[in-house]
Amino acid sequence: MLGKKMETAINEQINKELFSAYLYMSMSADSANKGLKGFANWFMVQYHEEMLHAMKFYEYITRQGGKVTLKAIAEPPQTFESPMDMFQKTLKHEQFITQSINDLVNLAIQEKEHASQTFLQWYVTEQVEEEENDNDIIAQLKLIGSDTAGLFMLDKELATRMLTVPSDFSKGVEAAMKAMGKA
Ligand SMILES: [Fe+2]
Ligand SMILES: [Fe+2]
């Protein structure tokens, strides 16, 4: 059973995950518009990951007998100065999300909701990976500087990123993947 405070906080987190998806979709669109197909691919994979993060919370609330409440999603920025600008904004946003996940864990501890504490650990681990990925790409972009050949190479590398969904990710997501013939 999910307490009211936890239910409200997780519903707010669903909105944050959906905004994350929206933000990365916008970055993907801007990259595609500038001919950076690899960056566009990387951000579109990121969009799908964020949708899965939202779905995982959705399913948790539902399975715990709570009610999912969907709010308006804010408009993301439409254009970005450069790939570096995008990844710096991505890192900053992920640091904000990490703080938000930490706040959820703190609430679960305060409310003595052990199931929620356990469930949230997946997100704690995921955020370490998210920030690491962004820091890695920012480091590469720093090395590249204004070298267009280097940027071209990185774009090729980012074109290879594929969406991977762990088999135990979420019952609902698994069913959807099966329906699409992907699992
Ligand atoms: Fe997320
Ligand atoms: Fe994220």
Side-chain angles (χ1 to χ4, degrees), residues 13-27:
Q13 189 64 34
I14 288 179
N15 189 272
K16 287 175 191 165
E17 299 293 343
L18 292 175
F19 175 77
S20 302
Y22 225 34
L23 175 64
Y24 300 140
M25 193 192 222
S26 184
M27 288 181 179

Side-chain angles (χ1 to χ4, degrees), residues 17 20 24 46 50 53 93-94 97 126-127 130:
E17 299 293 343
S20 302
Y24 300 140
Q46 197 59 32
E50 299 301 346
H53 295 170
H93 181 66
E94 289 302 328
I97 294 292
E126 173 68 12
Q127 283 311 116
E130 293 270 62

Side-chain angles (χ1 to χ4, degrees), residues 46-173:
Q46 197 59 32
Y47 156 82
H48 286 294
E49 278 205 0
E50 299 301 346
M51 292 302 287
L52 292 171
H53 295 170
M55 281 309 299
K56 195 175 170 76
F57 279 121
Y58 175 103
E59 196 175 274
Y60 181 69
I61 292 180
T62 306
R63 288 177 72 194
Q64 287 276 63
K67 169 75 172 74
V68 169
T69 310
L70 299 173
K71 298 278 173 61
I73 305 164
E75 183 180 320
Q78 308 291 346
T79 54
F80 302 87
E81 274 173 37
S82 60
M84 180 64 104
D85 181 40
M86 279 190 220
F87 274 96
Q88 276 170 344
K89 283 179 176 146
T90 296
L91 176 62
K92 205 168 162 232
H93 181 66
E94 289 302 328
Q95 286 166 341
F96 161 72
I97 294 292
T98 300
Q99 187 53 54
S100 177
I101 297 290
N102 287 345
D103 290 344
L104 284 174
V105 175
N106 290 339
L107 182 65
I109 292 168
Q110 185 194 310
E111 297 294 307
K112 300 186 173 67
E113 292 192 25
H114 294 257
S116 294
Q117 280 184 54
T118 304
F119 169 74
L120 287 165
Q121 289 312 306
W122 184 90
Y123 289 90
V124 172
T125 308
E126 173 68 12
Q127 283 311 116
V128 174
E129 200 186 305
E130 293 270 62
E131 289 189 28
E132 187 185 9
N133 288 342
D134 300 335
N135 277 315
D136 283 353
I137 295 172
I138 287 170
Q140 289 189 65
L141 284 167
K142 272 185 190 151
L143 286 172
I144 289 166
S146 56
D147 173 21
T148 49
L151 188 64
F152 181 77
M153 292 293 288
L154 181 58
D155 190 63
K156 284 255 179 255
E157 189 191 320
L158 298 183
T160 63
R161 185 183 186 195
M162 289 201 310
L163 179 67
T164 51
V165 182
S167 62
D168 63 345
F169 189 78
S170 146
K171 284 184 185 173
V173 171

